[in-house]
Amino acid sequence: MYTPPLARLIEQLQRLPGIGPKSAQRLALYLLSRPREEVTALAHAILDCKEQVGHCQVCGYLSVDPICEICRNPDRDDSTICVVCDSRDVIALEKTREYWGKYHVLGGVISPMQGIGPDQLNIPTLVQRVVKGGVKEVILAINPTVEGETTTFYVGKLLKEFTKVTRIAFGIPIGGDLEYADEMTLIKAIEGRQELQ
Amino acid sequence: MFLHQLQLYNFRNYREQMVLFDQPKTIVVGANAQGKSNLLEAIQLLAVLQSFRVQRDRDLVQWGQRQGEIHGKCQRRYSTVDLCLRLFPHQRRTMLVNGVVVKTKDEFLGNLNAVLFSALDLELVRGSPEYRRDWLDRVLVQLEPLYIRLQQSYQRVLQQRNALLKGIKQGKMRYDPAQMELWNQQLVTIGSKVMFRRRRLIDRLSPLAQAWHRRISATETLTLSYLTRFPCGDDINAIQTAFYDHLQKRAIAEQQQGSSLVGPHRDDVQLQINSQPAKEYASQGQQRTLVLALKLAELELLQTVSGEPPLLLLDDVLAELDLSRQQALLSAVQPTAQTIITTTHLHNFADRWLHSAQILTVKDGEIQLNC
Ligand SMILES: Nc1ncnc2c1ncn2[C@@H]1O[C@H](COP(=O)(O)OP(=O)(O)OP(=O)(O)O)[C@@H](O)[C@H]1O
Ligand SMILES: [Mg+2]
Ligand SMILES: [Zn+2]
């Protein structure tokens, strides 16, 4: 149905998350209709990204430089580290512009089924950062799945003797209605209740 | 509750079928392998999201088709619910309630309650503990839809913990006491909740089953008890403590075998007649009576809790019961409660079943209304 190079492109696009056969076809035909420069720019952007972007040596977040911008930023609070599962979580938290501490990206959660144990995660550098001193609080912000909970407790236990460790609360979204919150969220919200200041 | 409309597309041997139920009692008649059990299986899927016969959706979708669908309209006392389940051979299901996609099973469950009784239920007495655990779980998800989340989390912890034990045994993973301890804690925390709810269910079912059993058998006493691998008290804290202690005791054995040996996935329900284990001592007739008593207890409990009679689905079992047992069943079913019965022949039925029943004939995946 498609001429071979087009078929290859559609097939590649289809492998992307959230892209089905129909969207892949639409994207491919769109790209084909664009001027050469535009398509080249896109192709180069993809390649450059892959070749240049690595992980920050300190926190593990995506970065071109050995040490990322967040870690280098002198205005950010060195004494708070927020621990997350992957770089996507950093992006989400950064978008809020409310958090001014530093991060640490674990690169996954403990999952024996996928052969991921603490040794496969970016944990030793986190311990080093905390042991070095100056960290007043580590905030664990990991999804409360079965694997996430194990990871949260594992990391928490390692760090507890060196600093204060907290975890983010899970609960009702702001503007949400208690009546419509699902029951599991309600249970988590009640477990994570706080005293009214 | 009353299921007044059922539509099937590419489900088992049904291509496209609409069934309208217009009487409290429906009898579905057909020769072997025409689609009687398939019809009841579809209804049960709407109630518990699980088939009584197979695990994989691939077996439920009509062979060679890419998508199957079960769509039911149910009248509840104060509302109507529209339930739709889309099945795919190699993909997750889609669940819709009143036309809206729901993401979690607990949002779907509890809308339609049903008790299915088939020849397979004799395994409740004779079969492995798994049959009895599955039975408890099927009742629980209807009574307490949130139970499905506990069950899923427990399953997940168990799989992870088993992967770890296996990895250690095969030398692929390092034995890390800190990590093991965390899986232990999760196994215990979630597992204890599963055990607690199952045991509470047995406590509620037991007197009901005993009373029904007494009515049918006249002299015998049936007792149900939830069997754990370790003795423990009734409240959740006592279960947790005992579970945790026992896990420590079995740690070496678990490492040798490379799998989890303690927890609700190893529990059982003990059925005794006059203090004798039914599995070993009950005659065929006694086993039938026992299973019937369990089903009647299930029916009664669902009715009490939801305030509405659940659907009763009888797959080829009614004609097998003698008249006195049929009578017991009749007395348990409210005249207005919906009952759907499959059979190969219309004889052997007590007259009261046939009276004013809607009779449907099924042949090769198609249903016709008999006049
Ligand atoms: N996925 C499927 N696609 C197409 N046909 C199927 C599928 N699964 C099962 N069948 C067919 O459905 C037919 C009817 O099965 P069902 O179990 O409903 O029979 P039944 O009427 O209950 O028969 P019996 O009286 O023997 O219990 C069988 O012949 C089987 O081959
Ligand atoms: Mg059958
Ligand atoms: Zn960094």
Side-chain angles (χ1 to χ4, degrees):
Chain A
M1 177 160 48
Y2 304 112
T3 189
L6 182 60
R8 267 206 309 277
L9 178 59
I10 292 176
E11 210 219 289
Q12 291 296 332
L13 289 169
Q14 247 191 84
R15 296 189 189 176
L16 300 178
I19 307 282
K22 275 204 189 117
S23 320
Q25 178 190 306
R26 215 179 69 228
L27 289 173
L29 293 178
Y30 174 79
L31 287 172
L32 209 53
S33 75
R34 302 311 295 167
R36 192 187 157 87
E37 307 79 69
E38 210 179 304
V39 178
T40 316
L42 174 64
H44 280 140
I46 296 174
L47 268 178
D48 290 350
C49 202
K50 189 65 203 163
E51 275 160 15
Q52 295 166 17
V53 178
H55 296 278
C56 167
Q57 288 168 4
V58 178
C59 72
Y61 182 50
L62 298 171
S63 170
V64 200
D65 307 307
I67 295 179
C68 75
E69 271 183 54
I70 299 175
C71 286
R72 285 195 318 239
N73 187 343
D75 293 338
R76 295 193 73 128
D77 176 13
D78 265 334
S79 68
T80 316
I81 297 178
C82 179
V83 178
V84 297
C85 167
D86 63 41
S87 291
R88 255 182 317 182
D89 304 324
V90 175
I91 296 167
L93 282 161
E94 279 301 283
K95 277 197 183 140
T96 68
R97 298 178 175 280
E98 287 296 324
Y99 175 68
W100 275 98
K102 303 262 165 116
Y103 292 97
H104 197 90
V105 181
L106 293 178
V109 283
I110 295 175
S111 173
M113 284 163 78
Q114 291 158 286
I116 302 176
D119 302 346
Q120 279 69 44
L121 299 175
N122 190 17
I123 293 176
T125 47
L126 174 62
V127 178
Q128 277 168 27
R129 284 174 82 183
V130 175
V131 170
K132 246 183 7 202
V135 177
K136 294 206 195 93
E137 182 176 355
V138 171
I139 305 166
L140 299 171
I142 301 167
N143 278 331
T145 58
V146 160
E147 296 78 12
E149 291 291 284
T150 297
T151 313
T152 295
F153 290 124
Y154 189 91
V155 175
K157 240 170 140 176
L158 276 180
L159 302 180
K160 253 197 323 231
E161 53 178 300
F162 305 109
T163 184
K164 176 177 158 191
V165 181
T166 58
R167 63 177 303 179
I168 57 165
F170 295 94
I172 316 296
I174 303 290
D177 193 328
L178 272 191
E179 199 187 340
Y180 295 107
D182 84 85
E183 292 161 83
M184 220 57 190
T185 309
L186 270 175
I187 291 169
K188 282 274 174 209
I190 289 174
E191 282 173 1
R193 68 189 179 276
Q194 288 173 341
E195 207 173 306
L196 206 59
Q197 302 290 321
Chain B
M1 50 192 74
F2 197 92
L3 180 75
H4 50 86
Q5 180 180 321
L6 182 72
Q7 283 168 282
L8 303 174
Y9 301 100
N10 294 336
F11 177 81
R12 294 278 201 186
N13 67 337
Y14 292 96
R15 232 344 267 107
E16 187 174 349
Q17 180 69 52
M18 156 93 97
V19 195
L20 296 171
F21 299 101
D22 58 14
Q23 294 295 324
K25 296 199 173 27
T26 302
I27 299 179
V28 182
V29 200
N32 295 126
Q34 301 305 308
K36 301 185 297 295
S37 301
N38 292 347
L39 183 75
L40 299 189
E41 186 180 40
I43 299 171
Q44 199 201 26
L45 272 153
L46 294 182
V48 298
L49 289 172
Q50 225 186 36
S51 154
F52 66 111
R53 301 193 288 188
V54 295
Q55 297 287 338
R56 302 177 311 186
D57 285 358
R58 194 168 355 147
D59 301 315
L60 300 171
V61 177
Q62 188 162 99
W63 297 319
Q65 297 295 329
R66 297 167 70 176
Q67 179 180 342
E69 190 175 301
I70 308 168
H71 189 171
K73 293 198 170 126
C74 179
Q75 182 67 48
R76 311 248 343 196
R77 186 175 298 152
Y78 301 112
S79 60
T80 51
V81 225
D82 186 305
L83 296 172
C84 179
L85 190 59
R86 297 205 179 112
L87 305 161
F88 305 91
H90 300 286
Q91 211 179 301
R92 270 163 159 259
R93 301 172 174 179
T94 316
M95 301 171 282
L96 291 93
V97 178
N98 296 326
V100 179
V101 174
V102 295
K103 288 207 194 86
T104 58
K105 289 182 176 173
D106 51 291
E107 294 171 85
F108 192 90
L109 292 165
N111 284 306
L112 174 68
N113 289 337
V115 172
L116 183 124
F117 186 9
S118 79
L120 272 179
D121 285 314
L122 276 176
E123 297 296 321
L124 282 174
V125 186
R126 300 192 296 229
S128 64
E130 200 179 348
Y131 281 99
R132 291 178 284 280
R133 290 194 298 263
D134 285 351
W135 171 59
L136 291 185
D137 288 349
R138 274 203 301 273
V139 182
L140 273 172
V141 296
Q142 297 193 66
L143 284 176
E144 311 165 6
L146 262 191
Y147 177 77
I148 193 96
R149 296 241 193 142
L150 279 181
Q151 202 191 11
Q152 287 172 331
S153 303
Y154 184 76
Q155 216 48 44
R156 190 78 191 164
V157 173
L158 191 64
Q159 284 173 344
Q160 292 284 17
R161 193 172 180 273
N162 283 341
L164 184 61
L165 285 165
K166 195 167 158 212
I168 295 168
K169 187 183 174 212
Q170 296 174 337
K172 287 187 194 146
M173 283 178 215
R174 156 176 87 83
Y175 177 72
D176 170 5
Q179 193 194 154
M180 187 57 87
E181 174 60 22
L182 292 174
W183 290 117
N184 288 354
Q185 281 171 11
Q186 293 216 59
L187 194 79
V188 169
T189 311
I190 302 168
S192 298
K193 290 182 186 166
V194 171
M195 292 162 101
F196 176 79
R197 290 188 185 227
R198 283 196 189 153
R199 202 146 77 174
R200 186 171 63 189
L201 174 64
I202 287 291
D203 289 345
R204 295 161 108 183
L205 282 172
S206 187
L208 304 177
Q210 194 169 75
W212 282 114
H213 192 261
R214 178 57 60 79
R215 274 170 75 170
I216 308 165
S217 73
T219 54
E220 296 167 346
T221 305
L222 168 69
T223 45
L224 273 64
S225 37
Y226 188 68
L227 281 189
T228 54
R229 295 254 149 175
F230 46 85
C232 62
D234 274 339
D235 71 293
I236 191 92
N237 293 323
I239 299 175
Q240 279 190 12
T241 313
F243 191 167
Y244 190 80
D245 289 347
H246 197 69
L247 205 56
Q248 306 297 323
K249 284 197 194 113
R250 304 286 285 153
I252 309 267
E254 288 197 317
Q255 276 164 41
Q256 276 164 0
Q257 299 199 22
S259 74
S260 301
L261 302 177
V262 194
H265 65 291
R266 303 289 290 249
D267 290 347
D268 196 359
V269 179
Q270 190 175 46
L271 306 168
Q272 291 182 310
I273 298 175
N274 294 338
S275 309
Q276 295 297 319
K279 194 174 184 171
E280 279 112 69
Y281 297 104
S283 69
Q284 299 247 349
Q286 281 177 315
Q287 293 182 5
R288 278 177 202 281
T289 304
L290 201 167
V291 173
L292 180 59
L294 296 180
K295 290 285 148 182
L296 293 174
E298 186 183 334
L299 191 76
E300 194 179 344
L301 184 63
L302 278 169
Q303 177 162 332
T304 311
V305 173
S306 77
E308 290 181 66
L311 268 63
L312 178 61
L313 311 173
L314 301 172
D315 192 13
D316 242 349
V317 286
L318 194 57
E320 303 267 309
L321 299 174
D322 62 29
L323 289 184
S324 75
R325 292 197 186 100
Q326 285 194 27
Q327 218 56 51
L329 235 178
L330 262 178
S331 65
V333 180
Q334 290 183 8
T336 54
Q338 189 172 16
T339 310
I340 304 174
I341 301 154
T342 69
T343 182
T344 43
H345 298 97
L346 277 178
H347 48 75
N348 294 335
F349 279 93
D351 284 344
R352 274 177 60 199
W353 289 105
L354 290 172
H355 178 68
S356 77
Q358 174 189 24
I359 307 217
L360 303 174
T361 311
V362 53
K363 190 160 181 293
D364 198 14
E366 280 180 37
I367 290 178
Q368 281 130 27
L369 185 64
N370 268 37
C371 300

